[in-house]
Amino acid sequence: MSLISTLIGTLLFAIIAPAVGCLLAGLDRIVSARMQGRVGPPLLQPYYDVRKLFEKERVAVNSVERVYVAAALLFALLAGGIFFSGGNFLLCVFVITLSSLFFIMAAYSTRSPYAEVGAARETLQVMCYEPMVLLMAVAFFQATGSFDVAAVLGMPHPIVCSIGLVFLGVLFILTIKLRKSPFDLALSHHAHQELVRGVTTEMSGPTLGMVEIMHWCENVLFMGWIALFFVWGSPISALVAIIAVVIVYFLEVWIDNNFARVKWQFMFKSAWIVALVAGGVNIALLAFL
């Protein structure tokens, strides 16, 4: 992978991912509304909301907050560019984690008690899902012999056949990554919960708009991770991957609407147990068999 291909991939991702992520967010709202017996907003409502945010006055608690959020968005775009250009998957994982850390620093910089609680919970969520993500990268290397995402195109079968347990573990932590209930501790959008929009409590206007765009890009990247399990050296694999992504995303929306929030202790224990069992066992099987 060359630097030019990464830059081109990042540029294309910066153009395409927000549009796809916006449509996913709108579809999420519609499906959630139908599950709750409501009609729901139009498909492009997330776009209207973000456009309105960018039209608002630039008001911030301090000047550092916007810089941290902009850095988080930049690294999220870079992670997507690395992944979809077929680059190093482990580097993609590290870059998207760096994006999360900048987002946490943005919340801490406001010195708001609610934002600090949300930032602490966001840090805890990173501690919960990161082991499984790293084990996924290790299993990917063991199955393909390379950390390059493009290596799956040379596989004679979907990589999920070799690392099926890892896929189940990724499905578990995906609920945390997508900020869905029951693991939406840091950035909840449900009004009946004790901490609503915790991390973004003091963010408004264009800063909050950048946060929403960052989440759209992250969702597209994470769905790309799911598609990675179902891609191999065959043209039909693209259709299989799209179907798998649709099923997984619908499953996450269904979970979000049918499960109440759990305590952070349960999230931490369950995420680490799943990572050690699913990821550890699968990696051990690949190493010894």
Side-chain angles (χ1 to χ4, degrees):
M1 180 191 66
S2 65
L3 178 61
I4 300 299
S5 63
T6 301
L7 293 177
I8 294 175
T10 302
L11 179 61
L12 292 176
F13 184 78
I15 297 173
I16 299 174
V20 176
C22 178
L23 295 176
L24 280 177
L27 185 63
D28 188 331
R29 293 188 184 185
I30 293 175
V31 174
S32 296
R34 298 300 170 83
M35 288 182 178
Q36 298 169 11
R38 300 182 289 109
V39 176
L43 180 63
L44 294 180
Q45 187 62 47
Y47 163 73
Y48 300 141
D49 294 340
V50 170
R51 187 179 67 178
K52 184 182 295 185
L53 288 174
F54 278 99
E55 292 173 352
K56 291 182 178 294
E57 183 181 358
R58 293 179 177 271
V59 178
V61 176
N62 53 56
S63 59
V64 180
E65 175 193 61
R66 188 180 296 115
V67 175
Y68 283 142
V69 172
L73 174 59
L74 177 62
F75 281 112
L77 295 175
L78 181 59
I82 293 172
F83 179 83
F84 286 101
S85 63
N88 191 294
F89 182 66
L90 187 61
L91 179 60
C92 171
V93 170
F94 288 151
V95 172
I96 195 63
T97 302
L98 184 60
S99 172
S100 300
L101 295 180
F102 271 107
F103 185 47
I104 292 171
M105 291 170 64
Y108 272 124
S109 69
T110 63
R111 308 308 299 172
S112 166
Y114 292 105
E116 289 192 358
V117 171
R121 292 183 177 184
E122 184 75 14
T123 305
L124 181 65
Q125 290 183 181
V126 173
M127 293 171 60
C128 290
Y129 64 67
E130 199 63 23
M132 188 65 245
V133 174
L134 293 176
L135 289 177
M136 176 177 66
V138 173
F140 176 81
F141 175 81
Q142 287 184 308
T144 63
S146 171
F147 279 118
D148 289 343
V149 176
V152 297
L153 298 179
M155 296 287 290
H157 54 76
I159 197 173
V160 70
C161 298
S162 303
I163 54 176
L165 289 177
V166 171
F167 175 70
L168 295 179
V170 172
L171 282 183
F172 185 86
I173 61 100
L174 185 64
T175 308
I176 307 175
K177 298 285 284 181
L178 294 179
R179 306 181 187 282
K180 300 292 187 183
S181 185
F183 300 135
D184 55 341
L185 276 70
L187 189 56
S188 171
H189 58 276
H190 298 298
H192 65 271
Q193 297 180 350
E194 89 287 358
L195 185 67
V196 180
R197 310 301 290 181
V199 183
T200 58
T201 299
E202 300 298 329
M203 299 179 188
S204 62
T207 303
L208 187 57
M210 287 192 293
V211 171
E212 293 298 324
I213 294 175
M214 182 184 69
H215 292 333
W216 293 349
C217 296
E218 286 178 340
N219 289 346
V220 174
L221 175 61
F222 301 149
M223 290 300 102
W225 290 2
I226 296 299
L228 184 67
F229 285 92
F230 299 92
V231 176
W232 72 97
S234 173
I236 198 175
S237 65
L239 178 61
V240 175
I242 292 174
I243 294 174
V245 166
V246 171
I247 294 175
V248 169
Y249 197 79
F250 179 82
L251 176 64
E252 292 296 332
V253 175
W254 180 83
I255 292 173
D256 184 41
N257 286 275
N258 288 276
F259 289 88
R261 176 193 286 185
V262 298
K263 294 182 178 180
W264 70 265
Q265 292 92 338
F266 177 82
M267 180 184 69
F268 186 83
K269 293 178 182 178
S270 58
W272 276 69
I273 290 174
V274 168
L276 293 176
V277 173
V281 170
N282 208 151
I283 288 175
L285 290 175
L286 290 173
F288 296 104
L289 299 181

